[in-house]
Amino acid sequence: MSLNIDVVVVGCGAVGSTVALALARAGVQVAAVTRSGTDGCRWDMVLVEGLGFGELLVCGWTGAARLRPRLVVYAVKAYDLTSAVEDSLQAGWNPEAVVSLQNGLGSLELLSKTYGVDRAIGGVVYFGAVGVAPCRARLLGRGGLLLGCWARGGSCSFWSHQLAEALTAGGLPSSHVGDVEPYRWLKLAVNAAINPVTVLAWSRNKVILENPDAGKLAAQLAREVALVAWRRGVELPGDPVEEVFRVARATGDNCSSMLQDVARRGRSEVDYINGSVAREAWRLGLRAPFNEAMWRAVRLLERWLAGRRL
Ligand code: KPL
């Protein structure tokens, strides 16, 4: 028997639990799917400090075949997206729309290729959150979600609007921006600048404001992203360097997601952030030497800290 669920959030880490809880608070029939979940589905408490708590249906992939979501929100790390999509297809899901909430480039591209461009929504995450256990998180700093499409109209726009409204009603201020591409690139500039610099400085985001070396490095990284965006014909909706400093002020006490990943000796999304900027620059006949250097430096540190052979 299938369960009466409209939205499934895949991943119950910091971002996934926040989004799932906001939707539940807005009265949406939502379930979360986690790899760390037990077999089947069970009701579980989702707790997000700064947002609230609620009971949610939480399923492992073995229970996922009982769900028939109309909308799937992918809130896993960028490097786990391929297997999450494969698992969803195996579960027999055929959603009307899907959402990518990953940092960097490559994830919206993957969803568009798999489900079609008119079903793929790009989400740009502007809230800071830290996961403390599966389906338990702490919201840090302010900010919500920007949602938009590559395709005009159709299923993507309809669901992007609906989702933004429901998230806002549930306590996570969100909006539908129409064409998501300029916002995705502006956020890429922010992540490419703040994330690796906080890893190198082993400091919270405010290091960008407080340390002149960190600030200059971040500005240079953001300028390179702007150059690549410009060569791709993307007009950024704001000045990338100003945006980096604005976000650093708004999230000063956050540990960036990259620093959180590296500090827990896990894998970071640097390949999808600075790595994708460097690769996109080469593809366009440009160079992005600061992004390339950060990509390689963070990867070296990541591997060394994880105790893996260099
Ligand atoms: O998105 C972020 C991240 O940490 O990945 C920022 C905006 C830098 C906030 O910490």
Side-chain angles (χ1 to χ4, degrees):
M1 193 187 66
S2 64
L3 296 162
N4 185 22
I5 287 295
D6 284 330
V7 181
V8 168
V9 178
V10 178
C12 210
V15 171
S17 41
T18 305
V19 168
L21 179 62
L23 291 174
R25 282 164 51 103
V28 175
Q29 299 288 330
V30 57
V33 170
T34 72
R35 236 186 323 166
S36 54
T38 49
D39 286 350
C41 298
R42 62 190 154 74
W43 288 95
D44 204 353
M45 188 62 78
V46 175
L47 190 83
V48 180
E49 211 184 298
L51 186 63
F53 59 90
E55 245 197 343
L56 223 72
L57 195 63
V58 179
C59 304
W61 278 110
T62 51
R66 294 180 65 197
L67 308 173
R68 285 285 166 264
R70 297 180 68 195
L71 176 73
V72 178
V73 180
Y74 288 100
V76 294
K77 290 283 180 186
Y79 45 79
D80 283 330
L81 186 62
T82 304
S83 68
V85 168
E86 280 166 8
D87 288 336
S88 334
L89 296 175
Q90 212 153 45
W93 296 351
N94 185 20
E96 291 165 35
V98 290
V99 187
S100 149
L101 293 185
Q102 290 67 35
N103 279 327
L105 300 180
S107 304
L108 182 56
E109 287 79 352
L110 172 65
L111 293 189
S112 298
K113 217 188 266 174
T114 311
Y115 292 97
V117 69
D118 50 346
R119 283 202 278 175
I121 300 172
V124 181
V125 177
Y126 266 106
F127 61 85
V130 54
V132 289
C135 300
R136 305 273 193 283
R138 194 165 50 237
L139 210 46
L140 307 162
R142 267 162 284 139
L145 263 175
L146 300 179
L147 298 157
C149 307
W150 281 341
R152 276 170 194 265
S155 196
C156 182
S157 295
F158 171 78
W159 279 104
S160 178
H161 268 292
Q162 298 284 314
L163 187 59
E165 261 175 39
L167 289 169
T168 305
L172 198 61
S174 304
S175 39
H176 168 71
V177 292
D179 178 10
V180 73
E181 203 53 3
Y183 298 92
R184 213 164 68 106
W185 277 86
L186 190 60
K187 178 68 192 315
L188 178 61
V190 169
N191 285 128
I194 296 182
N195 294 27
V197 174
T198 58
V199 171
L200 225 63
W202 212 258
S203 300
R204 291 177 192 270
N205 293 357
K206 61 185 168 201
V207 72
I208 307 291
L209 311 169
E210 292 175 348
N211 182 303
D213 290 328
K216 283 193 180 125
L217 198 47
Q220 195 55 40
L221 286 157
R223 277 189 212 106
E224 281 185 0
V225 178
L227 177 68
V228 179
W230 173 75
R231 267 300 279 274
R232 279 188 50 139
V234 177
E235 204 173 313
L236 298 181
D239 181 274
V241 176
E242 276 172 24
E243 182 70 355
V244 166
F245 284 89
R246 185 192 71 74
V247 173
R249 274 192 301 277
T251 63
D253 286 325
N254 286 20
C255 281
S256 73
S257 56
M258 198 176 282
L259 179 55
Q260 289 178 45
D261 291 337
V262 174
R264 67 173 169 78
R265 291 162 161 60
R267 183 174 167 191
S268 81
E269 293 181 311
V270 73
D271 284 346
Y272 297 82
I273 299 175
N274 304 92
S276 70
V277 176
R279 289 189 302 270
E280 193 55 19
W282 294 333
R283 199 183 66 79
L284 295 164
L286 301 168
R287 292 292 313 277
F290 282 83
N291 276 276
E292 190 178 335
M294 285 293 151
W295 175 27
R296 302 200 187 284
V298 172
R299 277 205 333 183
L300 279 173
L301 187 64
E302 206 177 276
R303 292 187 133 241
W304 180 73
L305 282 172
R308 279 179 266 144
R309 289 183 56 208
L310 299 178

